[in-house]
Structure formats: C-alpha cells, structure tokens
Amino acid sequence: MTSQRTSPGTTDVLPDEVDPASDAMTWTIAEVADEFGVTHRTVRHYEDLGLISPERRGTTRVYHRRDRTRLGLVLRGKRLGFPLEEIRTIIDLYDAPRGRRSQLEYVLAQIDERRADLEQRRRDLEAALAELDGFERRCREDLGRMR
Amino acid sequence: MTSQRTSPGTTDVLPDEVDPASDAMTWTIAEVADEFGVTHRTVRHYEDLGLISPERRGTTRVYHRRDRTRLGLVLRGKRLGFPLEEIRTIIDLYDAPRGRRSQLEYVLAQIDERRADLEQRRRDLEAALAELDGFERRCREDLGRMR
DNA sequence: CACGTTCTTGACGTTGACGTCAACGTAAAG
DNA sequence: CTTTACGTTGACGTCAACGTCAAGAACGTG
C-alpha cells in the first residue's frame, strides 16, 4: 500500500515509487514516519509547530501528498541546518497566496533573502570542500614519502 | 593592536587585516570575541568542549593565531549546521598526528567520510536553490500577467 | 467479542548551545 | 588608593528539538 526503500540522507524531497496518478492517496502517521525515516513523535512535533497540517478523520491524522511534500522540504531544510521556525516561514512562502500585486512583490523580496542565505552557505561549503581536498593532497604526499 | 571590520556571515575563516608576519601575536578573549562576532561566553563554551585551548598566563587566557584559525573553522562549521561535537572531531583531524602509516590511512578514511557528508549537503543546497529559482520564475510570470 | 495493533493526547525528561547572573581577582588610571 | 575596566570560575536558566513514558480510544481479526 505504501512505498518502500527510502534511505535517509537523500537529496530528493519525496520517497520514490509513489503512484503518480493517485492524488487522492492517503497515508497514516506510521507510514509517513517510516518512509521518511523519522519517528511519529517527530511528525507530531512538526505539526505542533505548524509545519504540516494533516486532515483529521475523526481523531485520526490522514496525510496527503501535500503533507508529504512539505515534510520532505522540512527534512531537507534540517539537513541544511535551518531551524524549524525558519523552515516554516520558507515553505509557507511556497504556499502563500499571491493574488494581489503587493503580496507577489513581498514574496519576491523574500525569495531574494533566501537565495542570499543559501548562496552564503554554498560559499562556506565550497571553502570547506576545498580545504578538505588540499588536506587530502598533503596527506597523500606524506604517505608517498613514507613508503 | 587588533583587527577590525569583520562582518558576520563571511566565508573567510579569519578576519582580515591581521599582520601576516607576526606569528607571536596574541589576543585577549574580548578581542577574539569581538572580531568573530560572538560573546566571550561562547568562546569559553567552545573551550569547555575542547574546540580551542588557549594558553594561560596565570589565570588569564591568551589566544594565538592557531586558536583564531580553529575558532574560524568552528564558526564556519556552525554556519553549515554541524553540531559542535562533530566540528571538534573534524578540526582535530587537521591537527592530528600523522606520523605512522596507520594513522595516515585512518585520517584519509575520515576525509572520505567528511567529503561524502559535505557533498550530500551540496546536493541538498543545489536542489533548494533550483526550486527557489523555479518558484521565482512562476512568481514573475504571475506578476507579468497582472499588469 | 475479546485481543492485539495502531492511533490519540498529555506531560515530563533530555541534550545541545549557549545566556545570565553572582562573586571575586587584577591591573592600569586618575 | 579607590575606581574602573576586564578577566575568572561556578551555577543556574532557557530555548529548540525532540525522546519517553502513561493512559486511554478505535479498529481489524480470529
């Protein structure tokens, strides 16, 4: 009934093998937790913070494709080191109403801020990788001199 | 006596304008804290965790170039979202003794692990930036249709 | 229909990363 | 020689991000 095989630490936001045609497909909390490799407590915590808002059938949570999309975005944000509160403002942006012109311009301004942040991270990341490369080279030279 | 002008959120690990010739130059805790844009409490916390280990003159801490280098690495690691404990193992790696062959090979293995981690982050980052770009395009199209 | 499985809502505990006092030492400046 | 500016060590507080019970409700299955 649900998808399998989603190893943690992937770049994709969604686990694969999800029937693309069924927009009406739903999942239980255990299913989404398993597929995304988190506990149900984590999923509930994200709901408490307003990161996802599953439907309720009676008292039970029912997750739709939209919730999975958002959960995927949350976890990628976490892998990138963003705090959950900040992640919420970001993904809320994607779902924000953009009817009026002022709203659209606000959204565009937010996008610029976000991009600046991400690009700073990219520079840090490239610098760290470059240093790692240089360090490995020196280590290999040391190793060459030893034998 | 000390350097100025280091805005937070830079990619460089060290504040600029530091006399490159003086290896014997030292700094107080207030100086390094100010230059790196953190509190003295933060600097002490990092010392508690073994991230830096300044010299002591009597009871007073004296910071050398080495400490500043490590502090810079710590803060960049933080900007990348790594926990402090993990940061410690990473930067300790740079200072690890590599005398024996087995040590060198251990270090090289660690480097590979680190690189894999960083590259995963890079993929996440690129994906996030790509999504942001696509989203901006759609917003601009909406904006174009409105006027 | 009893039973085990899965779901629910609290509520308290924990860990990381510091902030925030309090209380005290020390060294230069007026 | 007192004041002022920094420095020091605790020790406790706080906030985020969950973990970890506890104690029911609801649901399919033999």
PDB file of all heavy atoms in Angstrom, chain B residues 28-30 44 56 59-61, chain D residues 6-13:
ATOM      1  N   THR B  28      43.356  38.917  23.445  1.00  0.00           N
ATOM      2  CA  THR B  28      42.564  38.631  24.642  1.00  0.00           C
ATOM      3  C   THR B  28      41.240  38.010  24.223  1.00  0.00           C
ATOM      4  O   THR B  28      40.879  38.010  23.045  1.00  0.00           O
ATOM      5  CB  THR B  28      42.270  39.921  25.426  1.00  0.00           C
ATOM      6  OG1 THR B  28      41.289  40.676  24.704  1.00  0.00           O
ATOM      7  CG2 THR B  28      43.518  40.752  25.588  1.00  0.00           C
ATOM      8  N   ILE B  29      40.503  37.543  25.205  1.00  0.00           N
ATOM      9  CA  ILE B  29      39.226  36.912  24.899  1.00  0.00           C
ATOM     10  C   ILE B  29      38.248  37.922  24.315  1.00  0.00           C
ATOM     11  O   ILE B  29      37.478  37.607  23.394  1.00  0.00           O
ATOM     12  CB  ILE B  29      38.628  36.223  26.151  1.00  0.00           C
ATOM     13  CG1 ILE B  29      37.450  35.338  25.752  1.00  0.00           C
ATOM     14  CG2 ILE B  29      38.238  37.245  27.206  1.00  0.00           C
ATOM     15  CD1 ILE B  29      36.942  34.453  26.853  1.00  0.00           C
ATOM     16  N   ALA B  30      38.272  39.146  24.821  1.00  0.00           N
ATOM     17  CA  ALA B  30      37.360  40.170  24.306  1.00  0.00           C
ATOM     18  C   ALA B  30      37.682  40.466  22.857  1.00  0.00           C
ATOM     19  O   ALA B  30      36.775  40.683  22.045  1.00  0.00           O
ATOM     20  CB  ALA B  30      37.481  41.438  25.147  1.00  0.00           C
ATOM     21  N   ARG B  44      34.252  30.748  25.641  1.00  0.00           N
ATOM     22  CA  ARG B  44      34.539  29.866  26.776  1.00  0.00           C
ATOM     23  C   ARG B  44      33.835  28.524  26.615  1.00  0.00           C
ATOM     24  O   ARG B  44      34.387  27.471  26.950  1.00  0.00           O
ATOM     25  CB  ARG B  44      34.092  30.532  28.075  1.00  0.00           C
ATOM     26  CG  ARG B  44      35.164  31.344  28.742  1.00  0.00           C
ATOM     27  CD  ARG B  44      34.708  31.778  30.115  1.00  0.00           C
ATOM     28  NE  ARG B  44      34.074  30.683  30.853  1.00  0.00           N
ATOM     29  CZ  ARG B  44      33.132  30.845  31.757  1.00  0.00           C
ATOM     30  NH1 ARG B  44      32.697  32.045  32.038  1.00  0.00           N
ATOM     31  NH2 ARG B  44      32.631  29.810  32.383  1.00  0.00           N
ATOM     32  N   ARG B  56      47.533  29.864  28.903  1.00  0.00           N
ATOM     33  CA  ARG B  56      47.189  30.586  30.126  1.00  0.00           C
ATOM     34  C   ARG B  56      48.429  31.328  30.614  1.00  0.00           C
ATOM     35  O   ARG B  56      49.489  30.718  30.765  1.00  0.00           O
ATOM     36  CB  ARG B  56      46.721  29.614  31.214  1.00  0.00           C
ATOM     37  CG  ARG B  56      45.431  28.911  30.905  1.00  0.00           C
ATOM     38  CD  ARG B  56      44.270  29.899  30.865  1.00  0.00           C
ATOM     39  NE  ARG B  56      43.025  29.178  30.593  1.00  0.00           N
ATOM     40  CZ  ARG B  56      42.017  29.121  31.446  1.00  0.00           C
ATOM     41  NH1 ARG B  56      42.089  29.730  32.611  1.00  0.00           N
ATOM     42  NH2 ARG B  56      40.923  28.462  31.139  1.00  0.00           N
ATOM     43  N   THR B  59      46.105  33.083  35.261  1.00  0.00           N
ATOM     44  CA  THR B  59      44.747  32.577  35.109  1.00  0.00           C
ATOM     45  C   THR B  59      44.096  33.068  33.824  1.00  0.00           C
ATOM     46  O   THR B  59      43.057  32.579  33.426  1.00  0.00           O
ATOM     47  CB  THR B  59      43.904  33.008  36.327  1.00  0.00           C
ATOM     48  OG1 THR B  59      42.551  32.745  36.053  1.00  0.00           O
ATOM     49  CG2 THR B  59      44.107  34.472  36.621  1.00  0.00           C
ATOM     50  N   THR B  60      44.771  34.028  33.190  1.00  0.00           N
ATOM     51  CA  THR B  60      44.171  34.688  32.023  1.00  0.00           C
ATOM     52  C   THR B  60      44.439  33.943  30.730  1.00  0.00           C
ATOM     53  O   THR B  60      45.535  33.427  30.502  1.00  0.00           O
ATOM     54  CB  THR B  60      44.740  36.117  31.911  1.00  0.00           C
ATOM     55  OG1 THR B  60      44.499  36.807  33.135  1.00  0.00           O
ATOM     56  CG2 THR B  60      44.083  36.866  30.776  1.00  0.00           C
ATOM     57  N   ARG B  61      43.427  33.894  29.895  1.00  0.00           N
ATOM     58  CA  ARG B  61      43.542  33.235  28.593  1.00  0.00           C
ATOM     59  C   ARG B  61      44.288  34.111  27.603  1.00  0.00           C
ATOM     60  O   ARG B  61      44.032  35.320  27.532  1.00  0.00           O
ATOM     61  CB  ARG B  61      42.159  32.935  28.041  1.00  0.00           C
ATOM     62  CG  ARG B  61      41.542  31.670  28.612  1.00  0.00           C
ATOM     63  CD  ARG B  61      40.082  31.579  28.264  1.00  0.00           C
ATOM     64  NE  ARG B  61      39.291  31.898  29.444  1.00  0.00           N
ATOM     65  CZ  ARG B  61      38.603  30.994  30.134  1.00  0.00           C
ATOM     66  NH1 ARG B  61      38.574  29.753  29.748  1.00  0.00           N
ATOM     67  NH2 ARG B  61      37.946  31.338  31.210  1.00  0.00           N
TER      68      ARG B  61
ATOM     69  P    DC D   6      36.860  47.852  28.854  1.00  0.00           P
ATOM     70  OP1  DC D   6      37.366  48.495  27.645  1.00  0.00           O
ATOM     71  OP2  DC D   6      35.405  47.778  29.111  1.00  0.00           O
ATOM     72  O5'  DC D   6      37.414  46.364  28.896  1.00  0.00           O
ATOM     73  C5'  DC D   6      37.372  45.677  30.107  1.00  0.00           C
ATOM     74  C4'  DC D   6      38.498  44.676  30.207  1.00  0.00           C
ATOM     75  O4'  DC D   6      38.849  44.537  31.595  1.00  0.00           O
ATOM     76  C3'  DC D   6      38.078  43.292  29.735  1.00  0.00           C
ATOM     77  O3'  DC D   6      39.221  42.573  29.282  1.00  0.00           O
ATOM     78  C2'  DC D   6      37.501  42.680  30.983  1.00  0.00           C
ATOM     79  C1'  DC D   6      38.401  43.274  32.071  1.00  0.00           C
ATOM     80  N1   DC D   6      37.671  43.470  33.351  1.00  0.00           N
ATOM     81  C2   DC D   6      38.227  42.977  34.537  1.00  0.00           C
ATOM     82  O2   DC D   6      39.321  42.408  34.478  1.00  0.00           O
ATOM     83  N3   DC D   6      37.549  43.138  35.693  1.00  0.00           N
ATOM     84  C4   DC D   6      36.376  43.758  35.710  1.00  0.00           C
ATOM     85  N4   DC D   6      35.751  43.898  36.882  1.00  0.00           N
ATOM     86  C5   DC D   6      35.789  44.280  34.506  1.00  0.00           C
ATOM     87  C6   DC D   6      36.468  44.112  33.361  1.00  0.00           C
ATOM     88  P    DG D   7      39.016  41.162  28.580  1.00  0.00           P
ATOM     89  OP1  DG D   7      40.162  40.982  27.657  1.00  0.00           O
ATOM     90  OP2  DG D   7      37.632  41.064  28.106  1.00  0.00           O
ATOM     91  O5'  DG D   7      39.207  40.150  29.805  1.00  0.00           O
ATOM     92  C5'  DG D   7      40.511  39.894  30.302  1.00  0.00           C
ATOM     93  C4'  DG D   7      40.444  39.035  31.548  1.00  0.00           C
ATOM     94  O4'  DG D   7      39.755  39.764  32.581  1.00  0.00           O
ATOM     95  C3'  DG D   7      39.629  37.743  31.397  1.00  0.00           C
ATOM     96  O3'  DG D   7      40.479  36.639  31.137  1.00  0.00           O
ATOM     97  C2'  DG D   7      38.989  37.551  32.768  1.00  0.00           C
ATOM     98  C1'  DG D   7      39.216  38.843  33.476  1.00  0.00           C
ATOM     99  N9   DG D   7      37.966  39.405  33.987  1.00  0.00           N
ATOM    100  C8   DG D   7      37.071  40.203  33.326  1.00  0.00           C
ATOM    101  N7   DG D   7      36.053  40.550  34.046  1.00  0.00           N
ATOM    102  C5   DG D   7      36.272  39.936  35.261  1.00  0.00           C
ATOM    103  C6   DG D   7      35.504  39.951  36.443  1.00  0.00           C
ATOM    104  O6   DG D   7      34.429  40.513  36.658  1.00  0.00           O
ATOM    105  N1   DG D   7      36.101  39.183  37.445  1.00  0.00           N
ATOM    106  C2   DG D   7      37.301  38.514  37.325  1.00  0.00           C
ATOM    107  N2   DG D   7      37.723  37.830  38.384  1.00  0.00           N
ATOM    108  N3   DG D   7      38.036  38.505  36.234  1.00  0.00           N
ATOM    109  C4   DG D   7      37.455  39.233  35.248  1.00  0.00           C
ATOM    110  P    DT D   8      39.775  35.222  30.953  1.00  0.00           P
ATOM    111  OP1  DT D   8      40.829  34.324  30.447  1.00  0.00           O
ATOM    112  OP2  DT D   8      38.557  35.452  30.181  1.00  0.00           O
ATOM    113  O5'  DT D   8      39.360  34.741  32.416  1.00  0.00           O
ATOM    114  C5'  DT D   8      40.380  34.447  33.361  1.00  0.00           C
ATOM    115  C4'  DT D   8      39.770  33.935  34.653  1.00  0.00           C
ATOM    116  O4'  DT D   8      39.022  35.005  35.264  1.00  0.00           O
ATOM    117  C3'  DT D   8      38.751  32.824  34.475  1.00  0.00           C
ATOM    118  O3'  DT D   8      39.380  31.569  34.539  1.00  0.00           O
ATOM    119  C2'  DT D   8      37.816  33.019  35.663  1.00  0.00           C
ATOM    120  C1'  DT D   8      37.997  34.459  36.061  1.00  0.00           C
ATOM    121  N1   DT D   8      36.766  35.274  35.873  1.00  0.00           N
ATOM    122  C2   DT D   8      35.873  35.364  36.896  1.00  0.00           C
ATOM    123  O2   DT D   8      36.022  34.801  37.960  1.00  0.00           O
ATOM    124  N3   DT D   8      34.777  36.142  36.633  1.00  0.00           N
ATOM    125  C4   DT D   8      34.496  36.819  35.463  1.00  0.00           C
ATOM    126  O4   DT D   8      33.473  37.488  35.346  1.00  0.00           O
ATOM    127  C5   DT D   8      35.468  36.658  34.422  1.00  0.00           C
ATOM    128  C7   DT D   8      35.272  37.354  33.115  1.00  0.00           C
ATOM    129  C6   DT D   8      36.550  35.911  34.671  1.00  0.00           C
ATOM    130  P    DT D   9      38.554  30.312  34.088  1.00  0.00           P
ATOM    131  OP1  DT D   9      39.512  29.212  33.850  1.00  0.00           O
ATOM    132  OP2  DT D   9      37.650  30.768  33.026  1.00  0.00           O
ATOM    133  O5'  DT D   9      37.661  29.958  35.360  1.00  0.00           O
ATOM    134  C5'  DT D   9      38.290  29.599  36.586  1.00  0.00           C
ATOM    135  C4'  DT D   9      37.252  29.541  37.692  1.00  0.00           C
ATOM    136  O4'  DT D   9      36.463  30.751  37.664  1.00  0.00           O
ATOM    137  C3'  DT D   9      36.262  28.379  37.579  1.00  0.00           C
ATOM    138  O3'  DT D   9      36.204  27.695  38.822  1.00  0.00           O
ATOM    139  C2'  DT D   9      34.941  29.043  37.207  1.00  0.00           C
ATOM    140  C1'  DT D   9      35.091  30.438  37.792  1.00  0.00           C
ATOM    141  N1   DT D   9      34.336  31.473  37.066  1.00  0.00           N
ATOM    142  C2   DT D   9      33.286  32.102  37.690  1.00  0.00           C
ATOM    143  O2   DT D   9      32.919  31.842  38.827  1.00  0.00           O
ATOM    144  N3   DT D   9      32.658  33.059  36.927  1.00  0.00           N
ATOM    145  C4   DT D   9      32.972  33.434  35.638  1.00  0.00           C
ATOM    146  O4   DT D   9      32.339  34.311  35.058  1.00  0.00           O
ATOM    147  C5   DT D   9      34.075  32.732  35.044  1.00  0.00           C
ATOM    148  C7   DT D   9      34.511  33.058  33.642  1.00  0.00           C
ATOM    149  C6   DT D   9      34.700  31.802  35.773  1.00  0.00           C
ATOM    150  P    DG D  10      35.391  26.315  38.963  1.00  0.00           P
ATOM    151  OP1  DG D  10      34.846  26.221  40.338  1.00  0.00           O
ATOM    152  OP2  DG D  10      36.234  25.238  38.474  1.00  0.00           O
ATOM    153  O5'  DG D  10      34.214  26.530  37.927  1.00  0.00           O
ATOM    154  C5'  DG D  10      32.961  25.945  38.143  1.00  0.00           C
ATOM    155  C4'  DG D  10      32.270  26.541  39.352  1.00  0.00           C
ATOM    156  O4'  DG D  10      32.168  27.985  39.196  1.00  0.00           O
ATOM    157  C3'  DG D  10      30.854  26.018  39.506  1.00  0.00           C
ATOM    158  O3'  DG D  10      30.530  25.816  40.863  1.00  0.00           O
ATOM    159  C2'  DG D  10      29.986  27.115  38.883  1.00  0.00           C
ATOM    160  C1'  DG D  10      30.824  28.376  39.043  1.00  0.00           C
ATOM    161  N9   DG D  10      30.725  29.227  37.857  1.00  0.00           N
ATOM    162  C8   DG D  10      31.492  29.138  36.713  1.00  0.00           C
ATOM    163  N7   DG D  10      31.190  30.047  35.818  1.00  0.00           N
ATOM    164  C5   DG D  10      30.166  30.773  36.405  1.00  0.00           C
ATOM    165  C6   DG D  10      29.436  31.881  35.913  1.00  0.00           C
ATOM    166  O6   DG D  10      29.552  32.446  34.827  1.00  0.00           O
ATOM    167  N1   DG D  10      28.473  32.312  36.834  1.00  0.00           N
ATOM    168  C2   DG D  10      28.261  31.749  38.066  1.00  0.00           C
ATOM    169  N2   DG D  10      27.288  32.297  38.800  1.00  0.00           N
ATOM    170  N3   DG D  10      28.933  30.732  38.546  1.00  0.00           N
ATOM    171  C4   DG D  10      29.876  30.290  37.653  1.00  0.00           C
ATOM    172  P    DA D  11      29.483  24.616  41.196  1.00  0.00           P
ATOM    173  OP1  DA D  11      29.644  24.260  42.628  1.00  0.00           O
ATOM    174  OP2  DA D  11      29.607  23.580  40.152  1.00  0.00           O
ATOM    175  O5'  DA D  11      28.092  25.361  41.006  1.00  0.00           O
ATOM    176  C5'  DA D  11      27.915  26.671  41.530  1.00  0.00           C
ATOM    177  C4'  DA D  11      26.623  27.226  40.983  1.00  0.00           C
ATOM    178  O4'  DA D  11      26.877  28.050  39.824  1.00  0.00           O
ATOM    179  C3'  DA D  11      25.624  26.146  40.524  1.00  0.00           C
ATOM    180  O3'  DA D  11      24.340  26.488  40.964  1.00  0.00           O
ATOM    181  C2'  DA D  11      25.748  26.185  39.016  1.00  0.00           C
ATOM    182  C1'  DA D  11      25.978  27.675  38.797  1.00  0.00           C
ATOM    183  N9   DA D  11      26.585  28.016  37.517  1.00  0.00           N
ATOM    184  C8   DA D  11      27.543  27.337  36.828  1.00  0.00           C
ATOM    185  N7   DA D  11      27.895  27.901  35.690  1.00  0.00           N
ATOM    186  C5   DA D  11      27.111  29.021  35.621  1.00  0.00           C
ATOM    187  C6   DA D  11      27.000  30.032  34.654  1.00  0.00           C
ATOM    188  N6   DA D  11      27.730  30.073  33.545  1.00  0.00           N
ATOM    189  N1   DA D  11      26.108  31.018  34.891  1.00  0.00           N
ATOM    190  C2   DA D  11      25.380  30.987  36.018  1.00  0.00           C
ATOM    191  N3   DA D  11      25.401  30.086  36.994  1.00  0.00           N
ATOM    192  C4   DA D  11      26.293  29.120  36.736  1.00  0.00           C
ATOM    193  P    DC D  12      23.177  25.355  41.038  1.00  0.00           P
ATOM    194  OP1  DC D  12      22.952  25.091  42.456  1.00  0.00           O
ATOM    195  OP2  DC D  12      23.554  24.257  40.125  1.00  0.00           O
ATOM    196  O5'  DC D  12      21.890  26.077  40.454  1.00  0.00           O
ATOM    197  C5'  DC D  12      21.705  27.458  40.711  1.00  0.00           C
ATOM    198  C4'  DC D  12      21.170  28.131  39.468  1.00  0.00           C
ATOM    199  O4'  DC D  12      22.196  28.223  38.464  1.00  0.00           O
ATOM    200  C3'  DC D  12      19.997  27.389  38.810  1.00  0.00           C
ATOM    201  O3'  DC D  12      18.876  28.249  38.782  1.00  0.00           O
ATOM    202  C2'  DC D  12      20.511  27.039  37.416  1.00  0.00           C
ATOM    203  C1'  DC D  12      21.574  28.108  37.210  1.00  0.00           C
ATOM    204  N1   DC D  12      22.601  27.767  36.197  1.00  0.00           N
ATOM    205  C2   DC D  12      22.796  28.625  35.109  1.00  0.00           C
ATOM    206  O2   DC D  12      22.111  29.648  35.026  1.00  0.00           O
ATOM    207  N3   DC D  12      23.729  28.311  34.173  1.00  0.00           N
ATOM    208  C4   DC D  12      24.446  27.198  34.290  1.00  0.00           C
ATOM    209  N4   DC D  12      25.343  26.944  33.345  1.00  0.00           N
ATOM    210  C5   DC D  12      24.271  26.307  35.396  1.00  0.00           C
ATOM    211  C6   DC D  12      23.344  26.632  36.304  1.00  0.00           C
ATOM    212  P    DG D  13      17.487  27.832  38.094  1.00  0.00           P
ATOM    213  OP1  DG D  13      16.392  28.423  38.893  1.00  0.00           O
ATOM    214  OP2  DG D  13      17.524  26.373  37.842  1.00  0.00           O
ATOM    215  O5'  DG D  13      17.550  28.583  36.696  1.00  0.00           O
ATOM    216  C5'  DG D  13      17.865  29.983  36.658  1.00  0.00           C
ATOM    217  C4'  DG D  13      17.531  30.538  35.285  1.00  0.00           C
ATOM    218  O4'  DG D  13      18.635  30.274  34.375  1.00  0.00           O
ATOM    219  C3'  DG D  13      16.296  29.928  34.636  1.00  0.00           C
ATOM    220  O3'  DG D  13      15.606  30.947  33.923  1.00  0.00           O
ATOM    221  C2'  DG D  13      16.877  28.848  33.732  1.00  0.00           C
ATOM    222  C1'  DG D  13      18.203  29.466  33.298  1.00  0.00           C
ATOM    223  N9   DG D  13      19.269  28.493  33.046  1.00  0.00           N
ATOM    224  C8   DG D  13      19.671  27.471  33.867  1.00  0.00           C
ATOM    225  N7   DG D  13      20.669  26.780  33.386  1.00  0.00           N
ATOM    226  C5   DG D  13      20.942  27.374  32.173  1.00  0.00           C
ATOM    227  C6   DG D  13      21.913  27.058  31.197  1.00  0.00           C
ATOM    228  O6   DG D  13      22.765  26.157  31.215  1.00  0.00           O
ATOM    229  N1   DG D  13      21.851  27.917  30.098  1.00  0.00           N
ATOM    230  C2   DG D  13      20.951  28.959  29.971  1.00  0.00           C
ATOM    231  N2   DG D  13      21.029  29.673  28.851  1.00  0.00           N
ATOM    232  N3   DG D  13      20.038  29.269  30.878  1.00  0.00           N
ATOM    233  C4   DG D  13      20.087  28.441  31.942  1.00  0.00           C
TER     234       DG D  13
END
